[in-house]
Amino acid sequence: MSHSADTPDNSVPPVTAGRPPELLPVGGGAHLRRRTLADAAALNAAVNANLAHLSPWMPWAQHAPTLAESEQLSVRGEAAWERGTDFLYLLGLDADPAVVIGAFGLHSRLGPGALEVGYWVHHEHTGRGLATAAARALTGAALALPGINRAEIHCDESNAASAAVPRKLGYVLDRIDQEAPIAPAETGRKMIWVTSGL
């Protein structure tokens, strides 16, 4: 779990004139689809069902979001997509597209030429390679955008499950930054994984 998947920063300027595909096949019976306001109730249910799973690593998962909060987040996410700053996706099942089993995003808070991949997967669907497959699809989509030549994944050093994703994808551990912990299980040692192509 990379803790950036649910927090679009509306103050960041656009980093690309392009837009990624709104639907990305992941394989294994799953897909990523652009998150919209219509998904707010399903996203809210998924987050609330996963608070114990998410709260150690995600600062935004320290309380149960209301439906209104999830709706506001979805509206901000749609606006960020249109501006070209953040591209937010939901992980869904091909057989039951209305169900949300995770959230993924591309975030432009790194500055020009780069997007950060963030993600979490529903606790009932971990261990199936879905995070890795979805992050692979999202990394490819990011690097195909005009002006983007680097993708990064950030996670705390103690989050072994999250760190396994960039390692499996061939990202390189660029550095470990010391930062104040922002979620209960964090050590404050943030791993910065980088790739310019898979």
Side-chain angles (χ1 to χ4, degrees):
M1 287 172 273
S2 169
H3 57 62
S4 60
D6 259 12
T7 53
D9 185 343
N10 293 337
S11 66
V12 174
V15 294
T16 181
R19 299 295 178 270
E22 295 191 8
L23 182 65
L24 292 168
V26 169
H31 62 269
L32 289 170
R33 67 180 185 274
R34 179 182 173 178
R35 191 169 89 189
T36 68
L37 179 56
D39 297 306
L43 174 62
N44 180 266
V47 170
N48 281 308
N50 282 274
L51 284 178
H53 173 58
L54 298 172
S55 62
W57 309 109
M58 308 287 192
W60 50 263
Q62 302 310 304
H63 77 280
T66 65
L67 178 57
E69 288 171 330
S70 294
E71 289 172 343
Q72 291 167 2
L73 188 68
S74 295
V75 168
R76 288 198 309 269
E78 286 194 82
W81 184 294
E82 296 303 328
R83 277 196 320 277
T85 59
D86 289 72
F87 307 103
L88 304 181
Y89 289 84
L90 295 175
L91 183 63
L93 297 171
D94 297 344
D96 192 357
V99 172
V100 171
I101 62 167
F104 284 69
L106 295 172
H107 306 281
S108 63
R109 64 178 131 234
L110 303 175
L115 286 167
E116 180 183 345
V117 179
Y119 48 87
W120 64 267
V121 173
H122 194 293
H123 68 92
E124 293 177 355
H125 295 273
T126 59
R128 297 172 46 197
L130 290 172
T132 302
R136 177 182 289 111
L138 213 49
T139 299
L143 295 173
L145 289 168
I148 301 300
N149 54 39
R150 190 175 84 253
E152 296 186 7
I153 293 176
H154 297 187
C155 63
D156 192 81
E157 188 177 52
S158 63
N159 192 341
S162 187
V165 170
R167 189 176 289 116
K168 289 175 188 172
L169 293 178
Y171 276 66
V172 174
L173 179 58
D174 184 67
R175 64 190 185 278
I176 298 177
D177 289 344
Q178 191 69 42
E179 296 186 1
I182 57 174
E186 290 188 338
T187 64
R189 289 174 54 80
K190 182 182 284 186
M191 305 173 83
I192 311 298
W193 297 86
V194 178
T195 188
S196 57
L198 295 181

